[in-house]
Amino acid sequence: MTSTLTTPPVSRGMRHRRPRRSPVPFFAPLVIWAGAAGVLALWWSDTGAVVGPAGWLTGAGRITGLLAGYACAVLLALMARIPLLDHTIGTDRLARWHALGGRCTISLVLAHTLLIIWGYSLTSHTGVVSQTSTLVLYYPDLLKATAGFLLFLATGILSARAARRRMSYETWHYLHFATYLAVFLAFGHQLSNGADFVGNRPAQIAWYTLFLGVAALLVWYRFAVPVRRGLRHRMRVSAVRREAPGVVSVHLTGEHLDELGGEPGQFLRWRFMTRGLWWTANPYSLSAPAHPRHLRITVKSAGGHSAALAHLTPGTRVWAEGPYGAFTANRRTTPKVLLLAGGVGITPLRTLFETLPGQVTLVYRARRPDDLALRGEIDAIAARRQAAVHYLVDEPAGHPSPLTAPGLSALVPDLASHDVYVCGPPGMTQTAKIALREAGVPARRIHHESFAF
């Protein structure tokens, strides 16, 4: 059951200007598939006739090996945190591509290994076990590649949903770095043993260029940039303030913070240089527009890391990586926008509520009135820009839940013509997206970005 507290809607809003849509989300998959086609062309150009079962098995093993190697480079590039990709495609969408690509890569690696062993055993008229030991012990770089293969399998098992539930995000994140070592160990055997590379200098140069380019992107954006920004901006905690039960705002000061370029709706990965927190960087959204001298995040206690932020002391050094994400004004396609928040999901939407042009309506759902974090600020913004706010609370019970197509349509007239930004717990966001689609909102106008990477 839900009760509704509403500030009166009015018709005026900030001046609307339709943002330009980036072509990157369209062209990025085309570039990836074009690269895969180039890999297949390499095999085709270097292959004469394929004869007999041994030839077919070995040929299939070569193809899956080439595609697996190329897929490794793509997977690493997707998670290199390249701003051009992250700010246009979105961090969560890149993470989904990475997860899907990871499953495909593991399958290709397994297929390559089995097909090559089987094909070579038929060619040499030996048993599979004997052929495996010969490949591993006597072929150049195959022993290292075997270690890389085992690391790939271990990473795939740890990334399975059932395994992920049993470990913290931080533990999984650092174990996932084994992928870098696996790629490094497996890289050499393709050039020293692969029929498509031995004696083919242009192919070798292209392969080195691909992997060295991806390695350079990883080193720069995952390591060099965070260190450089940490030294440049010299951020520190200035204050920690309670906003609601279990919710605190962490205020930060620093130098040249305008250079971060954080847009409303984006998040950064925060590393607090204090005991128990320094070793991990967790994602939290900005809960107020960025300022050249100070920033703010608002966090709900939902685990060890987030709970510890309530006990930060002023002066604690902070390193921030980012900004990341595409949950920004650039996704908007119409002058009318609905912001739909649940719980601490209000944090990125509060910044968008203040800064988005056009007609903006905010619907903020929480369990109790006391759980409505940042309500005073939201009311002030609504009054200043003359916008509508609907507060929906479950306690005390009053009205049926509005997270249905009829309920949302009653709150927001002409809902189907709105862009909708949704942020909240997974169950709430899924329910809201279903209701919005039933209310006639096109899927392309429903914008959501998840931190569940």
Side-chain angles (χ1 to χ4, degrees):
M1 302 292 286
T2 305
S3 62
T4 306
L5 308 171
T6 310
T7 62
V10 296
S11 59
R12 290 194 294 125
M14 295 182 183
R15 189 174 182 181
H16 167 72
R17 179 179 296 174
R18 182 168 180 168
R20 290 187 299 177
R21 308 291 287 180
S22 171
V24 174
F26 173 77
F27 282 108
L30 295 181
V31 171
I32 293 172
W33 285 110
V39 168
L40 293 176
L42 173 63
W43 172 83
W44 182 269
S45 65
D46 198 53
T47 301
V50 179
V51 180
W56 283 103
L57 289 169
T58 303
R62 285 170 55 195
I63 291 173
T64 52
L66 287 169
L67 289 174
Y70 172 72
C72 287
V74 172
L75 289 180
L76 295 179
L78 290 176
M79 289 290 101
R81 299 177 185 169
I82 303 168
L84 177 63
L85 299 180
D86 195 278
H87 296 172
T88 55
I89 297 173
T91 305
D92 62 336
R93 191 175 176 190
L94 289 173
R96 289 195 296 271
W97 289 4
H98 176 82
L100 175 61
R103 291 190 288 271
C104 293
T105 302
I106 295 294
S107 300
L108 288 169
V109 169
L110 279 169
H112 165 68
T113 303
L114 297 175
L115 289 167
I116 285 294
I117 292 173
W118 193 3
Y120 277 31
S121 67
L122 290 179
T123 300
S124 60
H125 304 288
T126 59
V128 170
V129 175
S130 174
Q131 186 61 50
T132 300
S133 62
T134 299
L135 286 170
V136 172
L137 297 177
Y138 298 106
Y139 277 61
D141 296 314
L142 251 297
L143 189 58
K144 291 192 298 182
T146 301
F149 168 72
L150 295 175
L151 280 175
F152 269 122
L153 289 184
T155 304
I157 293 170
L158 291 173
S159 297
R161 187 171 299 177
R164 284 285 307 275
R165 293 197 194 102
R166 290 172 169 79
M167 67 181 74
S168 67
Y169 166 80
E170 293 83 6
T171 301
W172 172 85
H173 176 73
Y174 281 101
L175 289 174
H176 215 64
F177 277 115
T179 305
Y180 296 152
L181 179 59
V183 173
F184 174 77
L185 291 172
F187 176 76
H189 92 283
Q190 285 195 300
L191 296 175
S192 57
N193 297 299
D196 302 289
F197 294 104
V198 175
N200 189 341
R201 195 64 176 169
Q204 294 175 6
I205 292 173
W207 213 243
Y208 270 115
T209 301
L210 173 64
F211 277 87
L212 289 176
V214 171
L217 291 172
L218 283 167
V219 170
W220 179 250
Y221 288 114
R222 294 294 296 264
F223 302 101
V225 169
V227 170
R228 180 175 65 88
R229 286 182 171 174
L231 298 174
R232 169 72 170 165
H233 300 301
R234 304 179 64 83
M235 273 192 280
R236 294 183 182 273
V237 174
S238 61
V240 179
R241 296 193 175 94
R242 181 180 180 276
E243 302 288 0
V247 179
V248 297
S249 284
V250 181
H251 296 255
L252 308 112
T253 59
E255 302 174 3
H256 315 290
L257 298 182
D258 52 320
E259 295 177 5
L260 286 171
E263 296 184 44
Q266 289 188 311
F267 68 93
L268 293 90
R269 286 182 170 88
W270 305 89
R271 189 183 302 273
F272 297 92
M273 309 304 287
T274 188
R275 184 178 180 180
L277 298 178
W278 65 268
W279 66 287
T280 182
N282 279 26
Y284 300 114
S285 296
L286 295 172
S287 62
H291 185 275
R293 293 290 300 173
H294 56 80
L295 300 173
R296 187 185 73 179
I297 59 174
T298 301
V299 181
K300 181 178 177 63
S301 176
H305 189 279
S306 54
L309 300 191
H311 306 290
L312 289 171
T313 57
T316 301
R317 286 292 302 270
V318 182
W319 286 29
E321 304 173 28
Y324 299 117
F327 194 62
T328 66
N330 290 327
R331 286 192 171 183
R332 178 183 46 111
T333 61
T334 70
K336 299 178 181 179
V337 176
L338 167 63
L339 307 175
L340 184 53
V344 79
I346 189 62
T347 52
L349 298 186
R350 179 253 181 260
T351 60
L352 290 169
F353 187 50
E354 180 175 349
T355 58
L356 271 176
Q359 179 183 324
V360 181
T361 302
L362 173 64
V363 174
Y364 183 7
R365 180 171 183 172
R367 289 184 59 191
R368 301 166 299 178
D370 288 347
D371 294 328
L372 294 169
L374 309 175
R375 182 173 178 178
E377 296 180 18
I378 292 168
D379 288 340
I381 294 169
R384 185 168 62 249
R385 67 175 297 166
Q386 298 184 317
V389 180
H390 302 278
Y391 295 106
L392 311 174
V393 292
D394 295 333
E395 301 173 7
H399 304 284
S401 171
L403 291 186
T404 61
L408 289 173
S409 297
L411 287 176
V412 186
D414 196 22
L415 178 58
S417 65
H418 285 63
D419 273 283
V420 184
Y421 290 73
V422 184
C423 189
M428 171 262 178
T429 56
Q430 185 62 28
T431 299
K433 287 192 286 187
I434 293 172
L436 291 166
R437 293 292 291 118
E438 292 176 352
V441 181
R444 68 180 183 278
R445 291 186 186 165
I446 302 174
H447 314 300
H448 170 253
E449 194 164 66
S450 170
F451 286 175
F453 302 144

